[in-house]
């Protein structure tokens, strides 16, 4: 039989335990809420972004050369801007703002910033952090961050054999990496990639092209031809981002070029005989070619004769056949040099061959109109007019 004091003591301890339990549970709930808020900030997802959804950062990439961000605006804004920053530990290395101004609902904008920093990037992994902020005036709408080292991510299953760009196109060649054990007969495991190609003039994107879910079984080649004209002597930058599905890695590659006129002589379509020459040329650039074809005949005795003919204006893939007729070419053997030149006289392509002329080609003599013939013609017109006029009067 228990005493009343013992019962009261048991009830008191039981109530105290329940009170402590609920107090600890409440503390854990509040602590976890604060912790999730902190993690949301660390992962670059703004909490208020989920509530307002004025702007969504749909893509963000950064490495030691550049940063690339795409933003979709869910509401119309009057004073939108993008801010890129690059930090090394607690040191701010770069900050640049892109003023977007008014934006429409549903509008998607991509901006690329090249860091252009001379500092030697460190070798420690995650030693640098890039941020992108979306603002409307002074109001923060969204932000993302990404840490990286100076080393470009490695596409473990794939190898970029070549990436290059010129005034005509950008081309990429990729292959699967061989197994680490060279003695193994195991074939490389296929890969799947996404390609994101951009052509820039300065930091302005002038062309963009994306390809999704490309299977890489052995080798892959793709050429993207520019669908518009380029400005002569202007510098362009081509950016290629390769995203590997497995493992989930994105790597970026850059190719710079200067836009120039380019044209090529089609060797198999050259026809030269004792009467003249026929030369077919094809445009190899989206900078329009404006020039002419020059054929130089050099006789074995050293005498040189030059013939020229204007070509059509050409762009990439367009052809023109230029015909030239010899005049005053004597019998004999000739060394023939064919040049394609632009309007400034710069040689863009050339071809060399030989020619034997069996019979001399006379120089064409222009036919001049005789004054007497002109007078008789006019007199005949007047006589005919008079005859017709007399007949009408009768």
């Amino acid at each position: 039989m228990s005493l009343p004091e013992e019962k009261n003591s048991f009830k008191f301890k039981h109530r105290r335990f329940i009170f402590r339990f609920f107090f600890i549970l409440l503390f854990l709930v509040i602590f976890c809420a604060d912790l999730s808020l902190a993690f949301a900030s660390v992962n670059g997802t703004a909490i208020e972004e989920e509530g307002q959804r004025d702007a969504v950062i749909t893509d963000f990439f950064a490495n030691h050369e550049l940063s690339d961000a795409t933003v979709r605006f869910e509401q119309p804004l009057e004073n939108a801007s993008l801010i890129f920053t690059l930090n090394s530990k607690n040191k701010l290395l770069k900050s640049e703002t892109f003023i977007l101004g008014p934006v429409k609902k549903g509008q998607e904008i991509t901006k690329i910033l090249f860091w252009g920093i001379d500092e030697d990037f460190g070798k420690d992994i995650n030693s640098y952090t890039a941020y992108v902020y979306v603002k409307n005036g002074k109001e923060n709408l969204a932000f993302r961050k990404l840490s990286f080292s100076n080393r470009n991510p490695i596409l473990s299953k794939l190898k970029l054999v070549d990436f290059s760009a010129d005034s005509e196109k950008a081309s990429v060649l990729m292959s699967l990496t061989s197994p680490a054990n060279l003695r193994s007969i195991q074939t490389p495991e296929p890969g799947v990639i996404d390609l994101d190609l951009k052509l820039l003039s300065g930091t302005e994107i002038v062309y963009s092209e994306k390809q999704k879910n490309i299977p890489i079984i052995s080798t892959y080649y793709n050429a993207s031809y520019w669908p518009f004209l380029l400005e002569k002597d202007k510098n362009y930058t081509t950016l290629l981002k390769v995203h590997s599905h497995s493992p989930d890695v994105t790597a970026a590659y850059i190719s710079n070029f200067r836009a120039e006129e380019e044209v090529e002589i089609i060797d198999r379509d050259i026809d030269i005989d004792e009467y003249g020459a026929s030369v077919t040329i094809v445009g190899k650039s989206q900078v329009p070619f404006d020039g002419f074809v020059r054929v130089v005949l050099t006789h074995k005795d050293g005498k040189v004769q030059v013939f020229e003919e204007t070509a059509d204006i050409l762009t990439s893939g367009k052809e023109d056949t230029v015909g030239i007729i010899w005049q005053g070419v004597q019998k004999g053997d000739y060394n023939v040099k064919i040049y394609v030149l632009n309007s400034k006289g710069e040689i863009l392509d050339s071809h060399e061959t030989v020619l034997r002329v069996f019979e001399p080609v006379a120089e064409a003599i222009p036919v001049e109109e005789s004054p007497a013939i002109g007078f008789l013609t006019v007199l005949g017109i007047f006589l005919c007019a008079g005859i017709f006029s007399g007949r009408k009067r009768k």
Side-chain angles (χ1 to χ4, degrees):
M1 182 175 179
S2 60
L3 297 176
E5 292 82 0
E6 293 178 351
K7 290 182 178 180
N8 293 333
S9 176
F10 174 77
K11 290 180 180 179
F12 177 75
K13 291 180 179 179
H14 182 67
R15 289 176 181 174
R16 188 169 59 181
F17 171 76
I18 294 175
F19 176 77
R20 287 180 177 178
F21 174 77
F22 279 105
F23 178 79
I24 294 172
L25 182 62
L26 180 62
F27 173 78
L28 289 175
V29 170
I30 297 174
F31 177 77
C32 290
D34 292 338
L35 187 62
S36 63
L37 180 62
F39 273 115
S41 298
V42 169
N43 290 331
T45 304
I47 298 301
E48 63 272 16
E49 180 183 322
E50 294 297 326
Q52 297 179 1
R53 303 290 293 182
D54 288 341
V56 179
I57 302 173
T58 59
D59 185 42
F60 181 51
F61 173 83
N63 64 7
H64 62 284
E65 291 184 292
L66 60 93
S67 185
D68 176 7
T70 300
V71 181
R72 185 179 69 248
F73 292 93
E74 302 296 336
Q75 300 295 335
L77 303 174
E78 292 299 323
N79 190 20
S81 62
L82 262 66
I83 301 175
F84 290 88
T85 64
L86 178 65
N87 296 330
S88 172
K89 297 181 180 179
N90 296 325
K91 180 182 178 182
L92 177 64
L93 299 179
K94 180 89 173 187
S95 180
E96 187 157 336
T97 301
F98 290 90
I99 303 298
L100 306 180
V103 295
K104 300 178 181 178
K105 180 180 180 179
Q107 185 175 356
E108 193 170 80
I109 295 177
T110 299
K111 288 296 180 181
I112 298 175
L113 172 65
F114 294 92
W115 300 124
I117 296 176
D118 296 331
E119 178 178 329
D120 185 20
F121 279 79
K123 297 181 179 181
D124 296 333
I125 297 177
N126 299 329
S127 57
Y128 293 85
T129 304
Y131 294 84
V132 62
Y133 300 87
V134 185
K135 289 191 173 185
N136 183 36
K138 295 183 179 180
E139 180 186 3
N140 289 322
L141 303 181
F143 82 94
R144 291 271 293 275
K145 78 171 187 176
L146 182 65
S147 297
F148 61 90
S149 69
N150 70 322
R151 289 171 288 186
N152 216 18
I154 299 175
L155 303 172
S156 58
K157 291 183 181 180
L158 302 166
K159 178 182 179 182
L160 184 75
V161 180
D162 179 66
F163 172 60
S164 59
D166 55 30
S167 304
E168 182 182 31
K169 65 183 183 301
S171 59
V172 55
L173 177 63
M174 301 194 71
S175 66
L176 293 174
T177 56
S178 301
N181 184 2
L182 298 178
R183 296 181 180 179
S184 173
I185 60 174
Q186 180 183 359
T187 58
E189 185 178 349
V192 179
I193 62 171
D194 302 327
L195 294 181
D196 184 358
L197 176 70
K198 291 183 177 68
L199 178 66
L200 298 96
S201 174
T203 58
E204 192 69 25
I205 300 173
V206 295
Y207 179 71
S208 181
E209 178 183 305
K210 292 184 179 181
Q211 299 182 59
K212 297 285 188 179
N213 302 321
I214 303 172
I216 308 295
I217 300 175
S218 57
T219 58
Y220 171 78
Y221 174 78
N222 181 70
S224 298
Y225 292 82
W226 311 129
F228 54 89
L229 299 181
L230 302 181
E231 187 176 337
K232 184 178 179 180
D233 295 332
K234 193 170 188 177
N235 293 319
Y236 291 89
T237 299
T238 311
L239 170 63
L240 176 68
K241 289 196 299 182
V242 181
H243 174 238
S244 170
H245 288 207
S246 178
D248 186 6
V249 176
T250 300
Y253 307 92
I254 294 175
S255 179
N256 299 307
F257 68 91
R258 184 186 181 95
E260 297 176 339
E261 294 174 276
E262 292 185 30
V263 69
E264 188 177 286
I265 298 172
I266 303 179
D267 297 340
R268 64 179 182 276
D269 286 340
I270 294 177
D271 186 14
I272 296 181
D273 57 25
E274 56 187 323
Y275 303 104
S278 174
V279 181
T280 300
I281 56 178
V282 59
K284 303 292 289 184
S285 168
Q286 282 300 84
V287 177
F289 162 73
D290 183 11
F292 56 94
V293 174
R294 174 183 294 167
V295 180
V296 179
L297 301 182
T298 304
H299 195 267
K300 61 182 180 180
D301 62 5
K303 182 182 178 181
V304 176
Q305 292 174 278
V306 179
F307 303 89
E308 293 180 354
E309 188 65 41
T310 303
D312 288 342
I313 295 178
L314 299 177
T315 55
S316 178
K318 303 297 182 181
E319 294 184 4
D320 181 34
T321 299
V322 177
I324 295 176
I325 299 175
W326 309 139
Q327 294 185 31
V329 176
Q330 302 301 314
K331 178 180 178 181
D333 296 335
Y334 292 85
N335 181 49
V336 182
K337 290 185 178 180
I338 303 170
Y339 301 97
V340 182
L341 304 94
N342 61 16
S343 58
K344 294 183 178 180
E346 300 168 335
I347 298 175
L348 305 183
D349 197 14
S350 62
H351 181 85
E352 190 170 354
T353 185
V354 292
L355 169 66
R356 173 168 291 174
V357 177
F358 294 95
E359 296 293 335
V361 181
E363 188 169 352
I365 301 176
V367 178
E368 296 182 2
E369 184 179 355
S370 172
I373 296 177
F375 172 76
L376 292 176
T377 302
V378 174
L379 181 61
I381 292 174
F382 277 108
L383 290 175
C384 291
I387 294 172
F388 283 115
S389 176
R391 287 182 179 179
K392 287 182 180 180
R393 289 175 183 176
K394 290 180 182 180

